[in-house]
Amino acid sequence: MKKLMLVLVVLFFGFPAFAQNTANLLNNYLNVKNALVNGDSKAASEATTSLYESIKKEDSFNQKQELLQAAEKLSKAGNIEKQRAELNNVSVILWKLVESDKKLDQTVYYQYCPMKKTYWLSKDKEIKNPYYGSSMLTCGKVTSTKQ
């Protein structure tokens, strides 16, 4: 009976009833990234906690365990340099979700820092590099766009 109800919900709504909320995960991620851009380790730690909790609350999705592990490493990073070093793993995994989400109704830019060979996501096309903060704020380029 439960399977029949799930099938009916999927057919009626056109999507799984328990799909991950990519927009929520993305917004929590952007709070982390923006704190790192601003060089604020404390705000990054707080935002990372929110990101980790939002991942845990989501129903199962393909990259959930991988994303949880990456967010956990980020949450355990003790200073801004370690936080910046761990951001790339979260960014790469989250980009896979963003890229495959057909219902996400916002533009997201996948950006790359050639100096660190790392990626991050942004709602803005303008480069604000979270890996260097103010010392090299505009270092990077857009490598892909999800619209």
Side-chain angles (χ1 to χ4, degrees):
M1 183 67 175
K2 287 181 183 180
K3 286 182 182 180
L4 177 61
M5 288 180 62
L6 179 61
V7 169
L8 291 173
V9 168
V10 169
L11 291 174
F12 182 75
F13 290 107
F15 61 90
F18 304 110
Q20 79 274 2
N21 185 349
T22 306
N24 184 42
L25 296 177
L26 177 62
N27 288 331
N28 282 307
Y29 164 88
L30 291 171
N31 291 334
V32 176
K33 188 264 307 180
N34 291 335
L36 294 175
V37 166
N38 294 326
D40 189 340
S41 181
K42 183 179 180 195
S45 291
E46 292 168 1
T48 298
T49 299
S50 295
L51 174 62
Y52 183 80
E53 291 302 318
S54 68
I55 297 166
K56 278 179 39 178
K57 289 179 185 174
E58 289 298 326
D59 291 317
S60 194
F61 56 95
N62 288 342
Q63 296 89 355
K64 182 173 182 173
Q65 287 306 316
E66 189 180 7
L67 189 56
L68 263 176
Q69 289 173 350
E72 183 176 12
K73 285 183 180 180
L74 180 58
S75 72
K76 290 180 179 178
N79 62 50
I80 196 154
E81 292 309 316
K82 290 179 181 175
Q83 290 169 322
R84 287 175 168 158
E86 294 298 335
L87 181 67
N88 183 65
N89 291 333
V90 175
S91 301
V92 171
I93 299 163
L94 187 58
W95 177 248
K96 292 175 189 174
L97 288 175
V98 167
E99 197 174 35
S100 66
D101 190 327
K102 293 176 181 21
K103 292 171 181 39
L104 189 65
D105 63 350
Q106 52 189 298
T107 300
V108 181
Y109 299 95
Y110 194 46
Q111 300 176 334
Y112 177 73
C113 174
M115 301 293 289
K116 292 270 189 181
K117 296 178 177 41
T118 53
Y119 292 90
W120 73 93
L121 285 68
S122 180
K123 286 185 179 180
D124 303 309
K125 190 173 184 178
E126 178 185 355
I127 300 295
K128 290 189 179 174
N129 189 323
Y131 297 102
Y132 285 107
S134 63
S135 66
M136 293 182 73
L137 188 61
T138 60
C139 176
K141 64 181 181 179
V142 174
T143 62
S144 192
T145 305
K146 164 74 170 149
Q147 295 181 323

